[in-house]
Amino acid sequence: MRILITGGAGFIGSHLCDRFLQEGHHVVAMDNLITGSQDNIAHLAGNPEFEFIYHDVSNFIHVPGQVNAVLHFASPASPIDYLKYPIQTLKVGALGTHNALGLARAKGACFLLASTSEVYGDPLVHPQPEVYAGNVDPVGPRGVYDEAKRYAEALVMAYHRQHAMDTRIVRIFNTYGPRMRLDDGRVVPNFIGQAIRGEALTIYGDGSQTRCFQFIDDLVEGVCRLLRSDYVDPVNIGTTREVSVLEFARIVNKVAGNDAGTVYAVGSRIDGDPQTRKPDTTLAADVLSWHPQTELEDGLDRTIRYFRAVLRLPA
Ligand code: UDP
């Protein structure tokens, strides 16, 4: 297959490039590099099966030749990124998804949308199954991302229903691993960066808010299985080991061997920061036979090694 991955130089996009190349496909990565980085795909330069196109998918997308699948992963995805780029975030979810769907339709390609657990907002149902419609504040600070992805999902279903297009929607829960940006502001790079520098980990709020952290390899496997399936409705992909931010900080400190503890960063918590988040992954297990394989401590250990290498710190 010849596969177009928008956001192909991003954290998740670049891992998808690796995976599909390993499987023998031809990959075209497209990115405008506002939050992605060419460092993430530098190792693929010179691979005849890999192409990079520098382009903002919120503008008309032109890709010559055949395309068999379009994986739409372009979007700022960390809260500080989408607060910094609120209009670009809305545009890539709306115009970018429209352009990517239009390209897929013109090429007769399958289309897969990277959606998010943020479509559930600050959930009133716990854990969150795909049928839960969510609790999103459209005008809150996170609304630009949440509503962009909700609109993108609606657009994908409209193309599926009106044009009988072959489509998939993956709702991605918190994912971490090598190639996250150390300064993307999310809890995993923040905590790891602090831990490997021997600093106290900054807890926003009282640290009782929960998340479930999945390792990138498990997500990539889920995306591949979904693409190969014929399942059109949204599917959650995420782990179900729920930890509070405070508990997570203790785990990161333990794995990194940091004894500087934690510190409460008063006033840093963004309004609308969900208090709980945990996927119901029954559907992924039933229709994709997908089960996450990586223990949190192991995934963190691999990610810590990566960040130490990036910062040229001893392993
Ligand atoms: N958080 C924290 N310290 C940090 C960064 C984030 O306590 O240095 C908290 C944040 O308030 C949120 C959770 O960690 O409750 C996860 O935040 P992240 O930005 O990783 O992503 P989210 O899951 O909120 O989209």
Side-chain angles (χ1 to χ4, degrees), residues 77-80 82 118 142 174 185-191 194 201-205 207 209-211 213 245 268-270 273-274 277:
S78 96
I80 64 159
Y82 53 75
E118 285 285 317
R142 299 173 82 110
N174 290 71
R186 280 185 279 195
V187 70
V188 175
N190 270 17
F191 280 5
Q194 290 157 349
L201 276 47
T202 50
I203 308 290
Y204 297 174
Q209 65 272 36
T210 67
R211 297 291 186 272
F213 297 97
V245 164
S268 298
R269 195 167 177 198
I270 298 169
D273 183 342
R277 189 187 285 153

Side-chain angles (χ1 to χ4, degrees), residues 22-131:
Q22 274 161 22
E23 288 188 0
H25 301 292
H26 184 98
V27 172
V28 181
M30 188 171 274
D31 209 299
N32 68 350
L33 303 175
I34 66 164
T35 59
S37 166
Q38 253 171 328
D39 293 348
N40 292 335
I41 49 170
H43 60 289
L44 301 176
N47 183 332
E49 298 306 322
F50 180 73
E51 295 167 69
F52 175 71
I53 302 175
Y54 174 77
H55 181 68
D56 179 347
V57 296
S58 295
N59 300 315
F60 182 86
I61 305 172
H62 177 67
V63 178
Q66 67 160 37
V67 176
N68 309 100
V70 174
L71 276 56
H72 183 40
F73 279 71
S75 178
S78 96
I80 64 159
D81 284 346
Y82 53 75
L83 291 177
K84 187 171 169 198
Y85 301 109
I87 296 171
Q88 289 96 326
T89 301
L90 282 159
K91 283 175 74 176
V92 74
L95 304 175
T97 305
H98 190 212
N99 291 330
L101 277 162
L103 177 86
R105 184 170 176 232
K107 302 284 185 185
C110 178
F111 183 91
L112 185 146
L113 173 71
S115 187
T116 168
S117 54
E118 285 285 317
V119 300
Y120 302 120
D122 194 358
L124 304 175
V125 168
H126 195 71
Q128 297 83 55
E130 288 82 351
V131 291

Side-chain angles (χ1 to χ4, degrees), residues 27 48 75 79 96 102 121 133 169 199 214 230 246 270:
V27 172
S75 178
I169 297 172
E199 298 165 2
Q214 74 174 327
D230 59 1
L246 205 53
I270 298 169

Side-chain angles (χ1 to χ4, degrees), residues 3 19 22 29 42 71 80 125 150 189 194 295 300-301:
I3 302 175
R19 171 69 183 253
Q22 274 161 22
L71 276 56
I80 64 159
V125 168
R150 289 170 69 93
Q194 290 157 349
E295 280 302 324
L300 281 174
D301 186 51

